[in-house]
Amino acid sequence: MLTPDRGTHPGRLASIGIAAAVIASLAPGSALADGLSSSQVNELESGKVVMVKLDEGGGKGYIGGSSYALMDEDIEKAWNAIQDAKLFPKLYPTTLESKVVSKKDNKFTVKMVQGNAVVKATYYLNYEAEPDVHKLSWKLNKAKPHDIADSRGNIQFDEWKDGRTFMKMSCIVDIGNDVLEKMFGDEIAMGLLRMPMKLRKFLKKSVASKYAAPPPDPAGADAG
């Protein structure tokens, strides 16, 4: 089990500021490809997933970053799928369990268990869905037991200029343990940033056709 063990030090404060900037870059109203260079936009339009890893600038704490992808699937299909918590183990690295434990209106809390044969971490994330802008946000529920120090992020879908669905994701995690971050941090960060690639591949499968229907309950049917 992971145990948060960090205090607040200058390096951590710096990383918090950088992490906040990652989240802010995906705030409502920002341009579709805000923050991307022309070469990155070209990569995006050619079908590549653009991954921008968080650069802590020498500080310690948060890992993660931002990812951008274009997909052929309808925006509503992508939006419906991303709200199904039972799909998370197919999309996020080392996820062993994702179970909705409470739900009210457009907000729901998910129990997350991540790990491998060496270590496991259990924590709870509070999600909020904003269907008008196709945005799903989350943050760590610190009132419940948590084996990590922090997790925040959001995913948003928009229509690209050629009609394809544009996905932008920002995700930051503070494992809360310097040793484990050194051992697994880079692997976890890159795994998170590959999530749009995994979602795009999943949506092409026949089992994903059910997401073209009305939005599922976050605790809905098995993802297949």
Side-chain angles (χ1 to χ4, degrees):
M1 181 176 291
L2 303 181
T3 303
D5 63 358
R6 287 207 183 93
T8 301
H9 51 70
R12 177 166 165 76
L13 290 174
S15 66
I16 290 174
I18 296 169
V22 172
I23 296 296
S25 71
L26 298 185
S30 61
L32 286 182
D34 184 36
L36 294 183
S37 67
S38 57
S39 62
Q40 288 173 322
V41 171
N42 289 337
E43 290 180 6
L44 184 70
E45 293 188 325
S46 71
K48 295 181 179 180
V49 174
V50 176
M51 297 179 286
V52 183
K53 186 179 176 182
L54 179 65
D55 180 3
E56 295 183 348
K60 296 181 178 180
Y62 288 95
I63 57 175
S66 299
S67 289
Y68 307 79
L70 290 172
M71 53 191 68
D72 296 329
E73 279 67 31
D74 179 81
I75 191 170
E76 293 299 332
K77 183 179 181 181
W79 171 242
N80 293 342
I82 205 62
Q83 295 176 78
D84 189 349
K86 287 193 174 183
L87 183 58
F88 294 172
K90 295 181 179 294
L91 303 179
Y92 294 103
T94 68
T95 300
L96 304 176
E97 179 184 346
S98 56
K99 179 181 179 181
V100 174
V101 296
S102 65
K103 181 179 183 296
K104 183 177 181 181
D105 299 326
N106 64 331
K107 298 181 180 180
F108 55 100
T109 299
V110 179
K111 177 185 177 182
M112 299 288 292
V113 180
Q114 292 187 313
N116 51 35
V118 179
V119 64
K120 290 183 181 179
T122 300
Y123 54 96
Y124 295 78
L125 296 178
N126 292 335
Y127 282 84
E128 180 176 2
E130 300 176 67
D132 291 346
V133 291
H134 299 101
K135 182 177 181 181
L136 183 68
S137 304
W138 65 89
K139 62 181 179 180
L140 181 69
N141 185 327
K142 295 187 177 182
K144 291 183 176 294
H146 51 284
D147 295 329
I148 63 173
D150 196 12
S151 177
R152 288 177 279 142
N154 62 70
I155 293 169
Q156 188 165 12
F157 300 99
D158 287 288
E159 185 176 335
W160 194 249
K161 56 187 177 182
D162 62 6
R164 284 183 287 179
T165 295
F166 174 60
M167 175 181 177
K168 50 185 177 181
M169 182 193 78
S170 176
C171 182
I172 55 173
V173 177
D174 183 350
I175 298 174
N177 184 296
D178 290 335
V179 175
L180 290 173
E181 181 186 320
K182 185 175 182 180
M183 292 174 60
F184 305 112
D186 193 64
E187 179 183 352
I188 293 172
M190 294 310 298
L192 289 170
L193 295 180
R194 293 188 185 98
M195 195 279 273
M197 184 185 304
K198 292 184 177 181
L199 177 63
R200 185 168 65 183
K201 289 182 178 179
F202 174 79
L203 291 176
K204 292 182 179 296
K205 297 180 178 180
S206 59
V207 70
S209 61
K210 66 181 180 181
Y211 295 108
D217 187 291
D222 184 68

